[in-house]
Amino acid sequence: MIVSSAFAGKKYAVLGLARSGMATVECLLASGAHVTAWDAREEPRAALEGRATLADPLAIDLAGFAGVVVSPGVPLNRHPIAAHARGAGVPVIGDIELFAQARADLPAHRVVAITGTNGKSTTTALTHHLLQAAGVPSLMGGNIGKPILEQQPLPAGGVYVLELSSYQIDLTQRLDADVAVLLNVSPDHLDRYDGYDAYVASKARLFGMQAHGHLALVDMRAELEDDVLRFAPEGTNFQFINGIDLPGDPAQWPSLQGPHNRANAAAAVGAARYLGLDEAMIAAGLKSFVGLPHRMERVAEKNGVLFVNDSKATNPASTAPALAAFPRIHWIVGGLPKGDDLDECAPHFGHVVRAYTIGEAGPRFAEILEPVMPVTRAEMLGDAVRAAMEQAVPGDVIMLSPACASFDQFRDFEARGECFRQIVAALTAGS
C-alpha cells in the first residue's frame, strides 16, 4: 500500500469503512497515524478492533485532528459531519487528498487526473492502457479500480492515472496533476450542489490545483460556455481536446466507436503525447484497447445483429453519442429518470429504427418518442430484448443505452448491464 511520513503522529477520523475507507485506515495506521474510525455496520468496525479507536466522529471532539476522511458518497451539503468538522477547524477530505499529501514520499512519478460528466472511466482506462502498452509503469485508481492508497507504489518514472468525480474533487485540496483533463460538463448530481454553476466549479477546481506549466486538457464547449479555466493559474498551458489529432484509422478501434469515444481517445492521446509516448506506440495502443464493461460493450452478434451493452449511459448526454455511433439502432431506453426529456438525444433520433421503453421512465419516454419513431412499450428489460430481436434484421444494432439511472429495477448500472448480457446470452444460444 501507499504510506507516508506526512501522516505520522497525527490524528485522523475516518467516517465510512467500505473499500476506500478501509484502505485509508490501513494506510494511516501503517504510516504511524492515530486513527478514529466508524461505520454504521458492525462487521468493518470489528475488523479494526484493537487497532484503531472506534467512535463516531460526530460524537467526539475533533479539535486537534489533522482531518476527517469521508467517502465521496457522503453528501457534504446535507451531512452534519461537515458542520461539526468546520466548527473544530478540521478539514473534511478524501483518500485522493491523502494521496496528494503522500506524493513527496513516493518515487519520482507523474499524475494524470481525469474528470467530466461522461467518459471518465473509458478515458482513464485508455490512458492507462496506452502507457502500459508503451512499457511505462502505470496504475489507475480514484473512481475506478482499486482504491489508490491500497495499491503498491509505482517505481520511478511511473504514472498514476486517476478518474475523479466531482465529489472526490470536493474532498481534495492539493492534487497537482501533471495532466488534468476535463472531458465535458452537463447537468448531473445537482442534488449535491447549489445549482449547475456550483457543479461546474467543482469540476473546474481540478485545474486550480495545478502548478504553472502543467497541462490542462479541456473540452472547448465547456470552456466557451462555462469558463472552466477560470480557476487555473494565469498562463496555464492548456489544449482543447476537440483539436487533438488522432493517429491511425479509428475504424480499426472496435472499442472506441462513436463521437464520444473519439473525444475520449483524443484526451488520452493528448495526455500520452505530453508524457512522451511516440506516435507508433499510441497508434498501437488505440488499436489493442478493449473497452470497459457496460460502456459501448459488444456482448454478442447473432444472424448479423450486434448487441451492445451501454448500461453506463445513465443520462441523455451520455446516451446521445451512443446513438450517433451506429446507423440502425433498436434502442432500449428507460429506468429511473434524471430529467423529463430526451432533448440531447434528439439530433440522433434518425439512427433509431425502433425504441423499446422500460422502467419508471418508460411511459414518459414513450410519449416523447412515439411522434418521431416506432415505439414498443416493453417495461421490462427481457421483454425489450425479445421484442427487438423480433424486429431486427442483419446489419442492425440492439443497444441498451438507457439514459437513466438503474435504481428503479436494479442495484446499479453494473447489475443492469449484467442482466442484459445474461438475457442476450440466453436468447442467442444455439443455432
mmCIF file of all heavy atoms in Angstrom, residues 242-271:
data_model
loop_
_atom_site.group_PDB
_atom_site.id
_atom_site.type_symbol
_atom_site.label_atom_id
_atom_site.label_comp_id
_atom_site.label_asym_id
_atom_site.label_seq_id
_atom_site.Cartn_x
_atom_site.Cartn_y
_atom_site.Cartn_z
ATOM 1 N N ASN A 242 -10.882 18.928 -28.384
ATOM 2 C CA ASN A 242 -11.521 18.861 -29.697
ATOM 3 C C ASN A 242 -10.527 19.047 -30.847
ATOM 4 O O ASN A 242 -10.783 18.640 -31.977
ATOM 5 C CB ASN A 242 -12.616 19.922 -29.798
ATOM 6 C CG ASN A 242 -13.446 20.018 -28.537
ATOM 7 O OD1 ASN A 242 -12.925 20.354 -27.469
ATOM 8 N ND2 ASN A 242 -14.731 19.740 -28.632
ATOM 9 N N GLY A 243 -9.385 19.669 -30.590
ATOM 10 C CA GLY A 243 -8.422 19.938 -31.650
ATOM 11 C C GLY A 243 -7.277 18.948 -31.731
ATOM 12 O O GLY A 243 -6.347 19.134 -32.527
ATOM 13 N N ILE A 244 -7.320 17.890 -30.923
ATOM 14 C CA ILE A 244 -6.220 16.921 -30.914
ATOM 15 C C ILE A 244 -6.382 15.931 -32.070
ATOM 16 O O ILE A 244 -7.436 15.298 -32.214
ATOM 17 C CB ILE A 244 -6.177 16.183 -29.561
ATOM 18 C CG1 ILE A 244 -5.830 17.163 -28.439
ATOM 19 C CG2 ILE A 244 -5.169 15.030 -29.593
ATOM 20 C CD1 ILE A 244 -5.923 16.577 -27.049
ATOM 21 N N ASP A 245 -5.352 15.792 -32.881
ATOM 22 C CA ASP A 245 -5.364 14.837 -33.992
ATOM 23 C C ASP A 245 -5.116 13.431 -33.472
ATOM 24 O O ASP A 245 -4.302 13.222 -32.573
ATOM 25 C CB ASP A 245 -4.281 15.195 -35.013
ATOM 26 C CG ASP A 245 -4.567 16.510 -35.730
ATOM 27 O OD1 ASP A 245 -5.763 16.806 -35.944
ATOM 28 O OD2 ASP A 245 -3.600 17.224 -36.060
ATOM 29 N N LEU A 246 -5.808 12.476 -34.079
ATOM 30 C CA LEU A 246 -5.661 11.085 -33.682
ATOM 31 C C LEU A 246 -4.813 10.329 -34.700
ATOM 32 O O LEU A 246 -5.012 10.485 -35.909
ATOM 33 C CB LEU A 246 -7.027 10.418 -33.559
ATOM 34 C CG LEU A 246 -7.933 10.981 -32.464
ATOM 35 C CD1 LEU A 246 -9.314 10.352 -32.536
ATOM 36 C CD2 LEU A 246 -7.319 10.744 -31.105
ATOM 37 N N PRO A 247 -3.885 9.507 -34.232
ATOM 38 C CA PRO A 247 -3.076 8.722 -35.165
ATOM 39 C C PRO A 247 -3.817 7.462 -35.598
ATOM 40 O O PRO A 247 -4.541 6.849 -34.820
ATOM 41 C CB PRO A 247 -1.843 8.364 -34.332
ATOM 42 C CG PRO A 247 -2.362 8.273 -32.935
ATOM 43 C CD PRO A 247 -3.460 9.305 -32.837
ATOM 44 N N GLY A 248 -3.639 7.054 -36.837
ATOM 45 C CA GLY A 248 -4.239 5.813 -37.304
ATOM 46 C C GLY A 248 -5.674 5.983 -37.742
ATOM 47 O O GLY A 248 -6.208 7.085 -37.859
ATOM 48 N N ASP A 249 -6.315 4.861 -37.976
ATOM 49 C CA ASP A 249 -7.669 4.813 -38.521
ATOM 50 C C ASP A 249 -8.651 4.413 -37.425
ATOM 51 O O ASP A 249 -8.615 3.275 -36.936
ATOM 52 C CB ASP A 249 -7.720 3.785 -39.663
ATOM 53 C CG ASP A 249 -9.101 3.679 -40.282
ATOM 54 O OD1 ASP A 249 -9.997 4.475 -39.927
ATOM 55 O OD2 ASP A 249 -9.285 2.792 -41.138
ATOM 56 N N PRO A 250 -9.541 5.323 -37.002
ATOM 57 C CA PRO A 250 -10.495 4.984 -35.940
ATOM 58 C C PRO A 250 -11.365 3.775 -36.254
ATOM 59 O O PRO A 250 -11.881 3.136 -35.327
ATOM 60 C CB PRO A 250 -11.347 6.258 -35.824
ATOM 61 C CG PRO A 250 -10.444 7.354 -36.297
ATOM 62 C CD PRO A 250 -9.631 6.743 -37.395
ATOM 63 N N ALA A 251 -11.539 3.437 -37.527
ATOM 64 C CA ALA A 251 -12.320 2.255 -37.872
ATOM 65 C C ALA A 251 -11.672 0.975 -37.363
ATOM 66 O O ALA A 251 -12.333 -0.061 -37.247
ATOM 67 C CB ALA A 251 -12.494 2.180 -39.390
ATOM 68 N N GLN A 252 -10.381 1.047 -37.045
ATOM 69 C CA GLN A 252 -9.656 -0.123 -36.547
ATOM 70 C C GLN A 252 -9.677 -0.203 -35.016
ATOM 71 O O GLN A 252 -8.965 -1.024 -34.431
ATOM 72 C CB GLN A 252 -8.207 -0.096 -37.041
ATOM 73 C CG GLN A 252 -8.088 -0.196 -38.553
ATOM 74 C CD GLN A 252 -6.637 -0.206 -39.010
ATOM 75 O OE1 GLN A 252 -5.711 -0.198 -38.211
ATOM 76 N NE2 GLN A 252 -6.445 -0.211 -40.314
ATOM 77 N N TRP A 253 -10.464 0.647 -34.365
ATOM 78 C CA TRP A 253 -10.539 0.657 -32.904
ATOM 79 C C TRP A 253 -11.947 0.212 -32.493
ATOM 80 O O TRP A 253 -12.811 1.043 -32.189
ATOM 81 C CB TRP A 253 -10.266 2.043 -32.358
ATOM 82 C CG TRP A 253 -9.023 2.718 -32.911
ATOM 83 C CD1 TRP A 253 -7.911 2.113 -33.432
ATOM 84 C CD2 TRP A 253 -8.796 4.125 -32.995
ATOM 85 N NE1 TRP A 253 -6.999 3.064 -33.839
ATOM 86 C CE2 TRP A 253 -7.501 4.303 -33.576
ATOM 87 C CE3 TRP A 253 -9.522 5.255 -32.628
ATOM 88 C CZ2 TRP A 253 -6.967 5.568 -33.806
ATOM 89 C CZ3 TRP A 253 -8.984 6.509 -32.850
ATOM 90 C CH2 TRP A 253 -7.709 6.653 -33.422
ATOM 91 N N PRO A 254 -12.231 -1.082 -32.480
ATOM 92 C CA PRO A 254 -13.616 -1.533 -32.247
ATOM 93 C C PRO A 254 -14.197 -1.099 -30.915
ATOM 94 O O PRO A 254 -15.416 -0.967 -30.788
ATOM 95 C CB PRO A 254 -13.491 -3.067 -32.329
ATOM 96 C CG PRO A 254 -12.046 -3.364 -32.128
ATOM 97 C CD PRO A 254 -11.305 -2.199 -32.686
ATOM 98 N N SER A 255 -13.362 -0.853 -29.920
ATOM 99 C CA SER A 255 -13.877 -0.463 -28.608
ATOM 100 C C SER A 255 -14.002 1.041 -28.436
ATOM 101 O O SER A 255 -14.337 1.513 -27.350
ATOM 102 C CB SER A 255 -12.958 -1.018 -27.507
ATOM 103 O OG SER A 255 -12.989 -2.426 -27.489
ATOM 104 N N LEU A 256 -13.754 1.790 -29.509
ATOM 105 C CA LEU A 256 -13.771 3.258 -29.408
ATOM 106 C C LEU A 256 -14.615 3.871 -30.518
ATOM 107 O O LEU A 256 -14.254 4.878 -31.114
ATOM 108 C CB LEU A 256 -12.338 3.806 -29.460
ATOM 109 C CG LEU A 256 -11.451 3.448 -28.272
ATOM 110 C CD1 LEU A 256 -9.998 3.779 -28.564
ATOM 111 C CD2 LEU A 256 -11.921 4.177 -27.010
ATOM 112 N N GLN A 257 -15.767 3.265 -30.771
ATOM 113 C CA GLN A 257 -16.638 3.774 -31.813
ATOM 114 C C GLN A 257 -17.553 4.877 -31.273
ATOM 115 O O GLN A 257 -17.891 4.907 -30.090
ATOM 116 C CB GLN A 257 -17.468 2.641 -32.407
ATOM 117 C CG GLN A 257 -16.626 1.582 -33.110
ATOM 118 C CD GLN A 257 -15.783 2.160 -34.232
ATOM 119 O OE1 GLN A 257 -16.304 2.693 -35.212
ATOM 120 N NE2 GLN A 257 -14.462 2.086 -34.088
ATOM 121 N N GLY A 258 -17.951 5.783 -32.143
ATOM 122 C CA GLY A 258 -18.861 6.863 -31.768
ATOM 123 C C GLY A 258 -18.121 8.145 -31.450
ATOM 124 O O GLY A 258 -16.943 8.122 -31.067
ATOM 125 N N PRO A 259 -18.797 9.284 -31.609
ATOM 126 C CA PRO A 259 -18.137 10.578 -31.397
ATOM 127 C C PRO A 259 -17.682 10.801 -29.961
ATOM 128 O O PRO A 259 -16.686 11.480 -29.726
ATOM 129 C CB PRO A 259 -19.218 11.589 -31.797
ATOM 130 C CG PRO A 259 -20.509 10.850 -31.739
ATOM 131 C CD PRO A 259 -20.180 9.435 -32.090
ATOM 132 N N HIS A 260 -18.398 10.237 -28.998
ATOM 133 C CA HIS A 260 -17.957 10.397 -27.609
ATOM 134 C C HIS A 260 -16.643 9.681 -27.372
ATOM 135 O O HIS A 260 -15.750 10.191 -26.683
ATOM 136 C CB HIS A 260 -19.037 9.918 -26.638
ATOM 137 C CG HIS A 260 -19.424 8.485 -26.764
ATOM 138 N ND1 HIS A 260 -19.515 7.832 -27.963
ATOM 139 C CD2 HIS A 260 -19.760 7.561 -25.814
ATOM 140 C CE1 HIS A 260 -19.887 6.584 -27.767
ATOM 141 N NE2 HIS A 260 -20.030 6.395 -26.468
ATOM 142 N N ASN A 261 -16.488 8.501 -27.975
ATOM 143 C CA ASN A 261 -15.235 7.781 -27.812
ATOM 144 C C ASN A 261 -14.105 8.429 -28.611
ATOM 145 O O ASN A 261 -12.930 8.276 -28.245
ATOM 146 C CB ASN A 261 -15.406 6.317 -28.202
ATOM 147 C CG ASN A 261 -15.955 5.491 -27.058
ATOM 148 O OD1 ASN A 261 -15.646 5.745 -25.899
ATOM 149 N ND2 ASN A 261 -16.785 4.510 -27.371
ATOM 150 N N ARG A 262 -14.435 9.154 -29.655
ATOM 151 C CA ARG A 262 -13.401 9.928 -30.347
ATOM 152 C C ARG A 262 -12.850 11.007 -29.406
ATOM 153 O O ARG A 262 -11.639 11.228 -29.339
ATOM 154 C CB ARG A 262 -13.959 10.566 -31.618
ATOM 155 C CG ARG A 262 -12.903 11.356 -32.404
ATOM 156 C CD ARG A 262 -13.468 11.929 -33.698
ATOM 157 N NE ARG A 262 -12.443 12.699 -34.395
ATOM 158 C CZ ARG A 262 -11.520 12.195 -35.202
ATOM 159 N NH1 ARG A 262 -11.480 10.875 -35.397
ATOM 160 N NH2 ARG A 262 -10.629 12.956 -35.790
ATOM 161 N N ALA A 263 -13.747 11.658 -28.668
ATOM 162 C CA ALA A 263 -13.302 12.668 -27.699
ATOM 163 C C ALA A 263 -12.502 12.020 -26.569
ATOM 164 O O ALA A 263 -11.476 12.554 -26.124
ATOM 165 C CB ALA A 263 -14.500 13.413 -27.133
ATOM 166 N N ASN A 264 -12.967 10.851 -26.082
ATOM 167 C CA ASN A 264 -12.223 10.146 -25.044
ATOM 168 C C ASN A 264 -10.823 9.785 -25.535
ATOM 169 O O ASN A 264 -9.833 9.934 -24.808
ATOM 170 C CB ASN A 264 -12.973 8.879 -24.628
ATOM 171 C CG ASN A 264 -14.327 9.158 -23.998
ATOM 172 O OD1 ASN A 264 -14.572 10.259 -23.499
ATOM 173 N ND2 ASN A 264 -15.203 8.186 -24.029
ATOM 174 N N ALA A 265 -10.755 9.279 -26.767
ATOM 175 C CA ALA A 265 -9.463 8.902 -27.343
ATOM 176 C C ALA A 265 -8.565 10.120 -27.501
ATOM 177 O O ALA A 265 -7.359 10.058 -27.235
ATOM 178 C CB ALA A 265 -9.674 8.208 -28.684
ATOM 179 N N ALA A 266 -9.140 11.242 -27.933
ATOM 180 C CA ALA A 266 -8.335 12.449 -28.118
ATOM 181 C C ALA A 266 -7.727 12.906 -26.798
ATOM 182 O O ALA A 266 -6.550 13.305 -26.742
ATOM 183 C CB ALA A 266 -9.192 13.564 -28.721
ATOM 184 N N ALA A 267 -8.501 12.843 -25.717
ATOM 185 C CA ALA A 267 -7.972 13.241 -24.415
ATOM 186 C C ALA A 267 -6.835 12.321 -23.981
ATOM 187 O O ALA A 267 -5.794 12.783 -23.485
ATOM 188 C CB ALA A 267 -9.089 13.229 -23.376
ATOM 189 N N ALA A 268 -7.029 11.020 -24.165
ATOM 190 C CA ALA A 268 -5.980 10.062 -23.793
ATOM 191 C C ALA A 268 -4.733 10.261 -24.643
ATOM 192 O O ALA A 268 -3.603 10.192 -24.137
ATOM 193 C CB ALA A 268 -6.511 8.637 -23.932
ATOM 194 N N VAL A 269 -4.929 10.528 -25.922
ATOM 195 C CA VAL A 269 -3.786 10.762 -26.828
ATOM 196 C C VAL A 269 -3.040 12.032 -26.416
ATOM 197 O O VAL A 269 -1.806 12.066 -26.387
ATOM 198 C CB VAL A 269 -4.265 10.832 -28.285
ATOM 199 C CG1 VAL A 269 -3.166 11.384 -29.196
ATOM 200 C CG2 VAL A 269 -4.702 9.450 -28.765
ATOM 201 N N GLY A 270 -3.785 13.099 -26.097
ATOM 202 C CA GLY A 270 -3.143 14.334 -25.659
ATOM 203 C C GLY A 270 -2.299 14.128 -24.415
ATOM 204 O O GLY A 270 -1.173 14.637 -24.312
ATOM 205 N N ALA A 271 -2.824 13.356 -23.468
ATOM 206 C CA ALA A 271 -2.062 13.059 -22.259
ATOM 207 C C ALA A 271 -0.838 12.217 -22.575
ATOM 208 O O ALA A 271 0.264 12.478 -22.074
ATOM 209 C CB ALA A 271 -2.955 12.347 -21.246
#
